[in-house]
Amino acid sequence: MHNLLRAYRGLFRANVAIAFTYRAQAVIWMLSFVFPLVMLAVWLAVVDQAGPVGGYNRGDFISYYLVGAVLYRFVLMGLTYHWDHEIRTGELSVRLLKPLDPFHYYLSEQLGWKVLDLLILVPLALVAALLIPGVHYALSPARLLAFVFSVVLGMTINVCISSAFGMIAFWTTQSRNLFELWSGIGQFLSGFIAPLPLFPLFMQRVAAVLPFRNSVGLPVDILMGRVGWAATGQGLLVGALWALGACMIYRVLWRLGLRRYEAVGA
Amino acid sequence: MAISVQQLTKSYRVHHKEAGLRSSLRNLFARRYELVEAVKQVSFEVAQGEIVGFLGPNGAGKTTTLKCLAGLLHPNAGSAEVLGFTPHNRERAFLKQITLVMGQRNQLLWDLPAMETFLVNQAIYGVPEREFRATLQELVALLGLEPLLTKQVRKLSLGERMKCELAASLLHRPRVLFLDEPTLGLDVTAQAAIRDFLRAYNQQYAVTVLLTSHYMADVTALAKRVLVIDHGELKYDGDLHALVEQTAPYKLLRLTLQQPVDSADLTRLGEIESLNGLEVTLRVPRDATKLVMAQVLASLPVEDVMIEEPPIEQIIRDVFQHGASYA
């Protein structure tokens, strides 16, 4: 554990440095913060014409998407791209020689970019929350704690699932595409396109047993006080089971994959 | 023994596909696979502190063997042991004692100065600060890295990068070095610098080195013992000079003549290797060299005579072309 912490400190330092080296890329990447805001603009237009939708008024939508936009950047994890690239090109060989699981390189790289989120997007969202009228959250200590926990769980789920998809690269070159298909479904069922309570009932039921909701919908609902404690617990449990299942699949595929890894190139 | 390899066998499944859309479609349904045996029942041992050169043409199985020994590949049969570990289990204690330098692979962080990679490696290998500083100082001096440390890696030349690559691979003081084409693509000066460094490093720390290279000079300069591998099979394991004597039982006589002579007079003395006006090269049996030399001086109008060993590149080429067994 001590070794791992040391390694993370070193990797993290370098990865934040890399993220800051690519200043232009960082700016462009920040702009993707705008996509959820486009969804917000659509909903606001609807509310202005037709009045509250499914119990969401103007302030509710703004509150929802302000947090949703940050989470959309912060909670999603794309380890599949690292795994896929390094397995197919044989770059993985360089990592396998080190006394540290390659997983930690990719995770620390992703976390390096998340630091930018924390430093820039979070203050931005906080200022907006204070300035925009009608923005409201249920800020009890218990809810804040549950929110933080649900965000960390959401990240964990995405780390495990994107790694499990990455392992497919040992067998076919399609792991990226499969992951993108999966993420596409996630756009709808995470609550990013619209808050889940606005969906037809059967889709809400499907979303309740899938892991996507843990990325956006559930944490936002917890912060806004729109879910009770029982439903919160249930949502977190479903997420935890997905994280556990995906993690197990990832590790089993990793073992099997290494046996057939061909260390191509060089 | 630092390295012990018994009957090591590794095969790959290679998937064949012709170019074009039609073949892509056909490949979706029926794929043609071929099993390629890259390494066939290879056995050898290397003692601690030894430098052993791995010779063989492209695709002979050199790199595959190194990758098995470094734990990157799982062998199909046979066993390998390095410092008492089974490489493909990739135990932390094992990985901390070895390194594999691949001339075509890069571990340096591309967008940052090399120093950042060194610090990351320090963290990953858990090298204590004092030890790290001492090792770094020494490597910087031996490889002349001082002016390179603060330059972005992508701005370095190939030779400079390779030096940094070597330093990054040695900061944890590995006891076994696997070097796969460490001088690939480097100019003669950089090649010599890397070679000198490896020799000095080996002498100072008695590290075990297993080295492959296309540049024969790397091997002759560093290794007394060579392993010759071809088509996955070990063809020779032993002293480099013995290999030369065994496979090239001749020497070269280079003559400069005063006037042209009949080629029949030359073939009487030895096999004509080349004949270019007044410049003649003859192959003569190793043990008859002195005798032939006397005959040449007595019977031919010579201006100058030189006796030479055949170039090692040529010997190795002969070895692979004739495919003879010389184990």
Side-chain angles (χ1 to χ4, degrees), chain A residues 3 6-7 10-11 13-14 18 21-22 89-91 93-94 96-99 105 258 261-266, chain B residues 12 63 67 70 72-74 90 92 95 100 104-105 107 109 111-112 116 119-125 127:
Chain A
N3 286 331
R6 258 186 79 138
L11 280 173
R13 221 179 71 96
I18 291 171
T21 310
Y22 282 115
T89 58
E91 292 282 332
S93 300
V94 173
L96 286 176
L97 291 169
K98 303 275 188 256
Y105 284 89
L258 276 186
Y261 178 59
E262 294 191 347
V264 293
Chain B
Y12 294 108
T63 303
K67 283 174 178 169
L72 294 180
L73 296 175
H74 287 233
R90 297 181 45 252
R92 189 177 159 81
L95 294 171
L100 166 62
Q104 300 179 47
R105 282 263 176 255
Q107 65 160 316
L109 296 164
D111 302 298
L112 301 176
E116 294 288 342
L119 289 169
V120 167
N121 279 2
Q122 180 198 5
I124 287 171
Y125 285 99
V127 184

Side-chain angles (χ1 to χ4, degrees), chain A residues 73-107:
Chain A
R73 290 252 39 102
F74 196 70
V75 180
L76 296 187
M77 292 278 179
L79 272 74
T80 310
Y81 302 103
H82 300 267
W83 287 115
D84 174 77
H85 177 258
E86 301 227 324
I87 292 169
R88 270 191 306 115
T89 58
E91 292 282 332
L92 185 69
S93 300
V94 173
R95 316 267 178 234
L96 286 176
L97 291 169
K98 303 275 188 256
L100 182 74
D101 195 298
F103 168 83
H104 299 298
Y105 284 89
Y106 312 147
L107 181 61

Side-chain angles (χ1 to χ4, degrees), chain B residues 54 61-72 100-101 178-181 210-212:
Chain B
F54 229 139
K62 305 183 298 277
T63 303
T64 302
T65 307
L66 286 193
K67 283 174 178 169
C68 285
L69 292 176
L72 294 180
L100 166 62
V101 178
F178 299 112
L179 306 172
D180 192 19
E181 305 283 350
L210 196 50
L211 160 96
T212 78

Side-chain angles (χ1 to χ4, degrees), chain A residues 41-58 61 198:
Chain A
V42 171
W43 284 111
L44 289 184
V46 172
V47 172
D48 285 347
Q49 295 228 329
V53 184
Y56 281 79
N57 63 27
R58 207 182 154 79
F61 272 119
L198 304 185

